[in-house]
Amino acid sequence: MNYKMMGRFIGHILLVEAVFMVVPLIISLFHDEDIVCIGFAASLCVILAVALLLLVLCRGSKRSFKAREGLVCVGVSWIVMSLLGCLPFYISREIPSYLDALFETVSGFTTTGASILSEVEELSMSILYWRSFTHWLGGMGVLVFVLAVGAFGERSKGFTVHLLRAESPGPQVGKLVPKMKKTAEILYLIYIALTIVNIAFLLFGGMPLFDAVCTAFGTAGTGGFGIKNDSIAGYSPYIQNVCTVFMLLFGVNFSCYYLLLLRQFYSVLKDEELRLYLGVVIGSIVLITLDVRGFYGTLGETVRHAAFQVASIVTTTGFATTDFDLWPDFSKAVILGLMVIGACAGSTGGGFKCARILIVVRGLRRNLRRAISPQKVQVVRINNHMIDEKVLENANAYLAAYVLILFFSFILVSVDQFSITTNFTAVLSCFNNIGPGLEAVGPTCNYGDFSWLSKLVLIVDMLAGRLEIFPILILFSRSTWGVFNRKSG
Amino acid sequence: MKIIIAGDGKVGAILTRQLSAEGYDLTLIDANLKVLESTEERYDIMAVQGNCASMEVLEQAGIREADLLIAVTNADEVNLLCCMTAHGMNPDIHTIARIRNPEYTEQIYKMQNLFALSMMINPERQAALEIERLLKYPGFLKRDTFAKGRVEIVELRVEAGHKLCNIALNDLYNIVKCKILVCTVIRNGKAVAPGGNFVLMEGDRIFVTAPANVLTMLLKNLGIITHKVKRVILCGGGRVSYYLAQSLIKNGIGVQIVEQDYDRCIHLANALPHASVIHGDASREFLLDNEGISDCDALVTLTGVDEMNIIISLYGSSCKVPQIITKLGRLENNTILDSLPIGSIISPKELSCNHIVRYVRAMENQTGAALTIHTIADGQAEAVEFMVDKDTLHCGEPLKKLKLKKNVLIVCIMHGMKLDIPNGDSCFEYGDTVIVVTGAGRVVYQLNDIFE
């Protein structure tokens, strides 16, 4: 293990975090929020101190980096980032318990949007800003940002792709252009551009600037922290529709946008993952609209609410305009299905990912056919390209890990004596980075009543879900730390 | 005419035999001295040893005076480079390159312009096209097209109890109800030019000239059931298989490919998602049984081993597969094969050689020379298409008054768009196209050569 190199990476990431913390500090100064201002200033100092210490200690590191180290590095850096990122909440006493503050921050960085707060509107503006901004930063990934800024730019020799793979969602992560830095740049530029367009559309609908920025952050990262107690329900239908559209847009694979920029419209239209994603979205909207007819005044209103909730869940954002916990059971079942499916690979959304579903389902179909005619040779193809057996194997392993983690977390959370639906949907919701679940963790409720154990489990689940399981899972593996095989260090 | 052939492999050898017999000045280039020596002993040619893409070797072979370069080494890239280099040294030269890699097939026309090639040939693709044509009309053993596809010479086998059994050729019209002409009959391995009183017998293979638009009617009236081919089993997953499967699938025909090499199977399964690719040894009967050989519509054996193809075809025949096509690399043992029920025989190398020879003949003399030449009746006869020009003798005279050489038959005359299967009163005029069938060993270069 190249610990020095990892230290440097984490140092850089913390520097980025510190830089971004300056904005809420200024907001708090501007609004004379004394105690919060001190909180941000103190946190900033701590983070800067740790970052500089790491950078000084880890000078002159070797620049060799393997796939395993990439995974470990990503896992560790997200944990450190969250541990320090929650300091403003804690120091400013806006969230008195450190565990709660950590839960809130992890929920932010992993773009989950699960909150332990019942009264969001009581928080000060700078804290609300920081809370929403963690979504935006976590959505595309901090490491990708570090790569885009080029902290390791010219001197890095190809190893950085391990980091991108470990942090970006999806079964197959490739570069868009030959240079890693350029790829990261393109991703972030698309991300920033879409966010700005989103803010503009929200402002056009008469939303105050601060609300628009925070809501856009929540949408872009497919996070779901609202700045109002009733999430988006209080805003006008126009704003709700804008949110629906942009949530769906942020759930699309970003390489599709890049292809659009290159004017390769045909290959975007033919993209099978995109087709599945849109098919799922439209199908669910139709089904739910039929199921909940009569709940709302007009057909238009019904479709609007159905579309918003479907977009919010399938992209794993977690905003709400209505309490879907009150919907009939069939609609709730559809919502549960959407929670698992998730958005496209290569987007800011979470979940199992449409691409992986395609791969797993086609692999399953292939294996079924193989059982019928064992001699027949069949390959799994997506977008007219053969899927490598290794990718197929990985997707199946991912499914196994996914189900196991879901199951064990569910058992652990069940210690708290809530109903089965609550426990299950809480785990499902956190693991898939959505936010709201059903019953006691429904759209109108929060996670504040869970015990410390459950909160810890859910924190791990959120991180595992955001980083696609393996970077977190590998941290628990003894061989990673060379306990059995000291020579590997 | 001076011709340079680069590559003395199997195709090179067949070309050498054919072209030197027709009297062209041949120069052969090959890297292998031994092969060259043995070829030089048998034919009257010049041999140059070396790399055919090197300027020095091409210079040695006399590229500056040559009219045509045929590059048929086993490497596509070498063939292309050879033709390009030759073209650079002598801009007037015609070049023919053999290109076999399927990855180049899609860009073949672009490449032809890019590298200034006169012609590109792909033996496997041609074989696949030929097989596809055969599958379109199950019942014919072989089809050769003339006059841009408007006339065909098809091969039929007279089976026991067939309507044609014991019928004199004069009475043929009463059965088939359309104008056709039997130009050659193979009986006991020997080609015979039949007269009007010739009586067909069981086991005969007949070659029939017919307009393309009556083929369906011909089969129907002969009582040969031609249900459309819906499912084909291909044994062997080589290039021919790939091309064939590709076009069959495009026509909505189900394709099963049996291939032994697993990696090749994966490749095929990826390239042909609608085909069903089976990993296994096609010479094992139970495997073919499992794949439903007994109720498939056609079996095509395309493995790289001739003996294997014959054995599989024999098994297919014992399973009563309606149509069987066998690919053979060597055609020397044709007389033995004739007695075996292995269906139509396809030889990619022979096909591409015919193609090249046709080009050479057309190049030599644009008027009076053969337009197309097809070898029929196992090489015992040739069908040649000529244009009647102003130097042609006997224009406008009825055929019964003409004295033709022995074993020469005029089987079709085309006046513009009008097609005529000739009888004694027919005649040809300036501007017509005629198809002549000649007996074994008699090469006809000019239309006037057929008259006594």
Side-chain angles (χ1 to χ4, degrees), chain B residues 67-95:
Chain B
D67 301 294
L68 174 67
L69 172 77
I70 306 170
V72 285
T73 70
N74 53 14
D76 291 352
E77 290 78 7
V78 172
N79 292 341
L80 277 177
L81 186 60
C82 175
C83 288
M84 284 168 71
T85 314
H87 201 263
M89 295 169 75
N90 177 3
D92 298 327
I93 201 168
H94 288 234
T95 49

Side-chain angles (χ1 to χ4, degrees), chain A residues 366 369-370 373-382 384-387 389, chain B residues 262 265-267 269-273 275-280 286-287 291:
Chain A
R366 198 265 307 261
R369 283 191 189 154
R370 191 182 268 167
S373 41
Q375 297 274 6
K376 202 167 154 180
V377 177
Q378 289 162 347
V379 295
V380 178
R381 287 160 57 92
I382 287 174
N384 286 327
H385 284 292
M386 193 167 99
I387 297 297
E389 287 298 319
Chain B
Y262 187 74
C265 282
I266 295 276
H267 179 81
N270 181 32
L272 305 162
S276 127
V277 181
I278 291 120
H279 176 224
F286 74 86
L287 187 129
E291 296 310 322

Side-chain angles (χ1 to χ4, degrees), chain A residues 86-99:
Chain A
C86 67
L87 287 177
F89 297 113
Y90 180 63
I91 297 175
S92 66
R93 312 308 292 169
E94 299 251 338
I95 301 175
S97 141
Y98 183 76
L99 186 66

Side-chain angles (χ1 to χ4, degrees), chain B residues 48 51-63 85 89:
Chain B
V48 176
N51 176 357
C52 64
S54 103
M55 286 193 167
E56 199 190 327
V57 172
L58 284 174
E59 190 80 54
Q60 230 181 331
I63 194 78
T85 314
M89 295 169 75

